[in-house]
């Protein structure tokens, strides 16, 4: 098993290894004294892992209960958050109890946000069940729901007590969920680790998922501990996201986050004047698309409401070479030119 310690406003460990779901209660009990544990998940994950999680929490001395909402990004709303909070109230969960966020990015972000605001803030544990959640959203304390104005527009920074990433769960994922997580893993390679990038390109990471996931979490740790509240260095983690969110939005979310990020990273390379061939090859090797499916003008309109925009400015993450990127803050008026370069229109 690999352990990555995150020293943010709260210090906690991310454990990565086999069999962690089965023993979730035991591991959580090392971080939080047994108490009532409110598991928040979606209906798909509840069917797959709900009983296992409840059984293991019970065996470790927790008094667990579970609430599941219908799966899908469309459910990541203030309305579902309100239901989750009301459920915590009905269950008489107190702020000294624990929320357990079980699932992919949607349950993780929503349950984390519920924990951030219920009782003005309570503790929570993350058990990611998708590769994307394991390497990205479960680590670093970003919690959120979507608003009509955009994805993750309402949320809070709230760090978990512990993150348990079971590599057996990761080995059982359907191909589309592996693809989605792979995009974020390629991102870490482009940001900071040519060896990881090459392992993604060659498919070699699958031979040792534990190390590959731990490497991604360690890279994320460096950005989060340097800039927990996303005002400086953490913005590097948005590589491919300004372009990628626009792609997702134009597709009305028929393209997944990972697919958007893959296309977004290729666009970022082009916009930076870097030959995107290597990034295209790594994405293609992971079954991810690379060609922007919409014209620059349409993508730019979608990007205008990006929450990364601050006033009349936006900070882009641009790759220089594999393993090295830089931040460039530009006026919004300059953005159309970057989109046109990113799609290859200029
Ligand atoms: N997913 C980007 C971040 O955690 O900052």
């Amino acid at each position: 098993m690999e352990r990555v310690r995150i020293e943010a406003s709260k210090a906690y460990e991310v454990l990565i290894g086999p069999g962690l779901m089965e023993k979730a209660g035991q591991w959580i009990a090392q971080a939080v004294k047994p108490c009532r544990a409110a598991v928040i998940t979606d209906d798909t994950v509840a069917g797959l892992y709900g009983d296992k999680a409840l059984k293991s929490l019970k065996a470790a001395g927790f008094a667990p209960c579970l609430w599941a909402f219908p799966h899908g990004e469309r459910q990541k709303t203030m309305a579902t958050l309100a239901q989750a909070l009301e459920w915590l109230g009905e269950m008489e969960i107190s702020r000294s109890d624990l929320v357990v966020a079980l699932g992919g990015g949607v349950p993780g972000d929503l349950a984390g946000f519920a924990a951030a605001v219920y009782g003005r803030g309570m503790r929570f544990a993350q058990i990611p069940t998708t590769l994307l959640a394991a390497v990205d959203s479960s680590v670093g304390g970003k919690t959120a729901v979507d608003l009509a104005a955009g994805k993750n527009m309402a949320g809070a920074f709230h760090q978990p007590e512990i993150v348990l990433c079971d590599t057996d769960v990761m080995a059982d994922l359907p191909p589309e969920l592996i693809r989605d997580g792979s995009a974020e893993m390629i991102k870490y390679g482009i940001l900071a680790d040519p060896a990881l990038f090459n392992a993604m390109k060659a498919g070699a990471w699958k031979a040792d998922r534990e190390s590959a996931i731990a490497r991604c979490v360690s890279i994320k740790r460096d950005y989060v501990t340097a800039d927990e509240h996303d005002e400086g260095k953490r913005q590097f983690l948005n590589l491919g996201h300004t372009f990628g969110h626009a792609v997702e939005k134009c597709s009305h979310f028929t393209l997944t986050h990972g697919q958007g990020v893959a296309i977004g990273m290729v666009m970022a390379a082009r916009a930076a004047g870097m030959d995107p061939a290597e990034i295209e090859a790594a994405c293609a090797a992971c079954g991810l698309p690379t060609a922007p499916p919409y014209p620059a003008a349409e993508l730019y309109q979608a990007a205008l409401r990006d929450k990364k925009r601050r006033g009349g400015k936006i900070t882009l993450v641009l790759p220089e070479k594999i393993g090295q990127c830089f931040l460039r803050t530009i006026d919004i008026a300059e953005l159309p030119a970057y989109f046109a370069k990113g799609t290859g229109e200029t």
Side-chain angles (χ1 to χ4, degrees):
M1 183 174 71
E2 301 256 7
R3 305 172 89 119
V4 181
R5 189 169 171 81
I6 313 279
E7 302 267 359
S9 49
K10 173 188 292 170
Y12 58 95
E13 280 198 311
V14 182
L15 308 187
I16 304 134
L20 289 174
M21 183 71 79
E22 201 97 41
K23 300 238 162 68
Q26 267 179 42
W27 287 111
I28 293 173
Q30 296 207 355
V32 180
K33 245 176 58 199
C35 55
R36 300 199 60 208
V39 180
I40 298 181
T41 187
D42 68 28
D43 53 0
T44 306
V45 178
L48 292 169
Y49 301 112
D51 285 347
K52 228 180 226 182
L54 289 175
K55 203 168 144 208
S56 126
L57 284 162
K58 231 180 257 168
F62 290 92
C65 50
L66 182 145
W67 182 73
F69 58 91
H71 65 275
E73 181 77 32
R74 278 179 203 283
Q75 304 299 325
K76 199 176 146 183
T77 61
M78 290 297 281
T80 312
L81 175 73
Q83 286 174 29
L85 295 173
E86 292 295 352
W87 174 74
L88 291 170
E90 277 161 30
M91 290 289 121
E92 298 181 7
I93 295 295
S94 80
R95 59 187 302 193
S96 57
D97 292 325
L98 179 77
V99 164
V100 178
L102 174 69
V106 173
D109 283 7
L110 189 137
F113 193 17
V117 294
Y118 184 80
R120 296 200 181 88
M122 61 182 290
R123 299 167 301 175
F124 80 116
Q126 284 271 18
I127 310 181
T129 61
T130 64
L131 186 57
L132 194 144
V135 298
D136 184 26
S137 59
S138 68
V139 177
K142 278 190 180 174
T143 71
V145 295
D146 301 338
L147 300 181
K151 273 182 75 166
N152 298 328
M153 290 285 275
F157 288 96
H158 189 54
Q159 302 292 342
E161 303 298 312
I162 188 165
V163 182
L164 300 179
C165 169
D166 186 334
T167 46
D168 292 334
V169 171
M170 301 301 137
D172 271 354
L173 291 172
E176 62 274 17
L177 290 183
I178 306 266
R179 282 200 291 268
D180 249 18
S182 301
E184 297 287 348
M185 297 174 79
I186 293 169
K187 177 189 84 177
Y188 291 119
I190 301 171
L191 285 174
D193 191 339
L196 172 64
F197 180 86
N198 289 333
M200 297 308 297
K201 199 162 108 185
W205 72 277
K206 288 186 182 157
D208 186 357
R209 284 189 173 80
E210 193 174 299
S211 302
I213 294 169
R215 183 65 194 125
C216 293
V217 173
S218 304
I219 295 172
K220 178 154 190 182
R221 183 242 351 250
D222 296 343
Y223 291 97
V224 169
T225 53
D227 173 31
E228 183 173 349
H229 294 111
D230 208 5
E231 282 155 351
K233 190 175 171 183
R234 188 167 178 166
Q235 293 176 73
F236 276 102
L237 297 174
N238 292 330
L239 173 63
H241 284 60
T242 295
F243 298 110
H245 277 165
V247 170
E248 274 183 88
K249 208 161 163 195
C250 285
S251 81
H252 301 286
F253 299 97
T254 54
L255 287 174
T256 63
H257 181 67
Q259 290 172 320
V261 168
I263 295 167
M265 292 188 296
V266 171
M267 288 179 70
R270 264 201 217 102
M274 174 185 161
D275 181 351
E278 270 196 283
I279 299 178
E280 285 171 330
C283 291
C286 292
L288 290 158
T290 55
Y294 306 101
E298 203 177 315
L299 290 168
Y300 163 72
Q301 285 304 325
L304 281 180
R305 289 171 95 171
D306 195 308
K307 74 177 182 324
K308 293 184 284 305
R309 176 179 169 176
R310 293 178 193 197
K313 306 241 179 234
I314 191 160
T315 300
L316 297 177
V317 190
L318 299 172
E320 239 170 332
K321 60 180 186 185
I322 301 305
Q324 200 171 314
C325 296
F326 62 98
L327 299 179
R328 180 178 290 163
T329 301
I330 58 164
D331 284 333
I332 289 294
E334 297 174 77
L335 199 54
Y338 281 85
F339 270 86
K341 229 172 149 190
T343 54
E345 287 168 41
T346 58

